[in-house]
């Protein structure tokens, strides 16, 4: 009976906020600090795997910690609802060839294993496969022929390539070969024996009372009648010891008896 009155107040209905689009690298290298951006302001940055990488909540600057994968998120809220946009990123390791360890020498035909304390998954190679080869994955080196070669370990990641190397000397396999020389010798006379084998061996006589031999030159001297075995020996080195021999007969000179008229 007294009439009708009304009162009102405004109300704002908040919708779902727009988190925009996250911009930045999907793959980064250890040690780098890229910045991620979004056209929508006021949001907060976060990383789902903070052991892999962290990100500054307000600036979007990433800090890499260890190789692996993490998801970078950008969250925008309006008081009622939150919208999130995200980007999966991979943190790649820097290449690391490390330091190579292994034998400095190997015999031709023999093997030695090399190793590196650098990043795993690298590839082994040889600078001179005519001297030494190496298994690309295991680092097992095989001596081929006398000479020197560098054994190389190559570490490659999406962030670059590094190499480390170590030298190896391949020594030949020594052999005494075969002995050549005269089979007979007179007392007081000399002759020289030679060997078709490796140099640096030592000559010796099994019966020095019959024949002596110079240890380095192979010169034989007849001492008394009989047989003597002359030996050439390689005592050390790849394939040693090895020896070769030859028998020499030493005889006395005999001028015989002259026959004929005396006048």
């Amino acid at each position: 009976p007294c009439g009708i009155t009304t009162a009102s107040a405004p109300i704002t209905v908040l919708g779902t906020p727009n988190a925009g689009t996250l911009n930045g690298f999907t793959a980064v290298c250890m040690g780098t600090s890229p910045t991620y951006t979004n056209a929508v302001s006021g949001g907060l940055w976060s990383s789902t795997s903070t052991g892999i990488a962290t990100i500054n909540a307000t600036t979007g600057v990433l800090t890499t910690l260890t190789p692996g994968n993490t998801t970078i998120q950008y969250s925008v809220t309006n008081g009622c609802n939150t919208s999130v946009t995200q980007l999966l990123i991979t943190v790649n390791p820097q290449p690391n060839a490390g330091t190579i360890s292994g034998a400095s020498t190997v015999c031709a035909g023999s093997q030695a294993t090399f190793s590196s304390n650098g990043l795993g998954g690298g590839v082994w190679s040889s600078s001179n496969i005519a001297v030494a080869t190496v298994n690309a994955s295991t680092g097992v080196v095989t001596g081929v022929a006398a000479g020197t070669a560098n054994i190389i370990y190559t570490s490659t990641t999406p962030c670059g390539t590094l190499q480390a190397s170590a030298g190896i000397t391949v020594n030949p396999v020594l052999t005494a070969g075969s002995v050549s020389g005269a089979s007979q010798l007179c007392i007081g006379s000399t002759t020289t024996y030679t060997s078709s084998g490796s140099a640096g061996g030592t000559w010796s006589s099994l019966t020095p009372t019959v024949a002596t031999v110079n240890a380095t030159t192979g010169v034989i001297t007849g001492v008394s009648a009989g047989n003597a075995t002359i030996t050439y020996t390689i005592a050390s080195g790849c394939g040693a010891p090895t020896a070769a021999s030859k028998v020499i007969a030493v005889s006395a000179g005999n001028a015989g008896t002259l026959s004929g008229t005396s006048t």
Side-chain angles (χ1 to χ4, degrees), residues 35-236:
T35 300
Y36 288 78
T37 61
N38 195 310
V40 177
S41 61
L44 293 176
W45 296 92
S46 63
S47 169
T48 60
S49 298
T50 55
I52 302 298
T54 60
I55 190 167
N56 187 287
T58 56
T59 64
V61 175
L62 187 76
T63 299
T64 55
L65 300 176
T66 188
N69 296 321
T70 187
T71 299
I72 300 303
Q73 296 181 332
Y74 187 71
S75 303
V76 178
T77 183
N78 61 4
C80 290
N81 298 298
T82 299
S83 180
V84 178
T85 185
Q86 58 189 20
L87 182 68
L88 177 67
I89 69 167
T90 299
V91 179
N92 292 309
Q94 292 285 355
N96 177 16
T99 302
I100 292 179
S101 301
S104 59
T105 61
V106 68
C107 295
S110 296
Q111 294 182 328
T113 301
F114 276 53
S115 61
S116 169
N117 61 3
L119 193 65
V123 177
W124 294 93
S125 61
S126 170
S127 65
N128 190 347
I129 60 174
V131 171
T133 60
V134 60
N135 184 288
S137 57
T138 64
V140 174
V141 177
T142 301
V144 177
T148 59
N150 285 325
I151 303 303
I152 303 164
Y153 184 72
T154 301
S155 173
T156 301
T157 74
C159 299
T161 298
L162 286 178
Q163 289 185 331
S165 65
I168 189 169
T169 299
V170 178
N171 294 317
V173 174
L174 303 181
T175 174
S178 59
V179 174
S180 299
S183 298
Q184 294 184 332
L185 180 67
C186 293
I187 295 174
S189 297
T190 61
T191 188
T192 301
Y193 272 13
T194 60
S195 169
S196 63
S198 306
T202 301
W203 294 95
S204 61
S205 172
L206 243 58
T207 316
T209 56
V210 174
T212 61
V213 60
N214 185 287
T216 55
T217 64
V219 174
I220 302 169
T221 301
V223 176
S224 63
N227 294 326
T229 300
I230 306 300
T231 303
Y232 181 72
T233 304
I234 302 290
S236 61

Side-chain angles (χ1 to χ4, degrees), residues 236-249:
S236 61
C238 294
T242 179
S245 301
K246 183 178 175 65
V247 176
I248 190 169

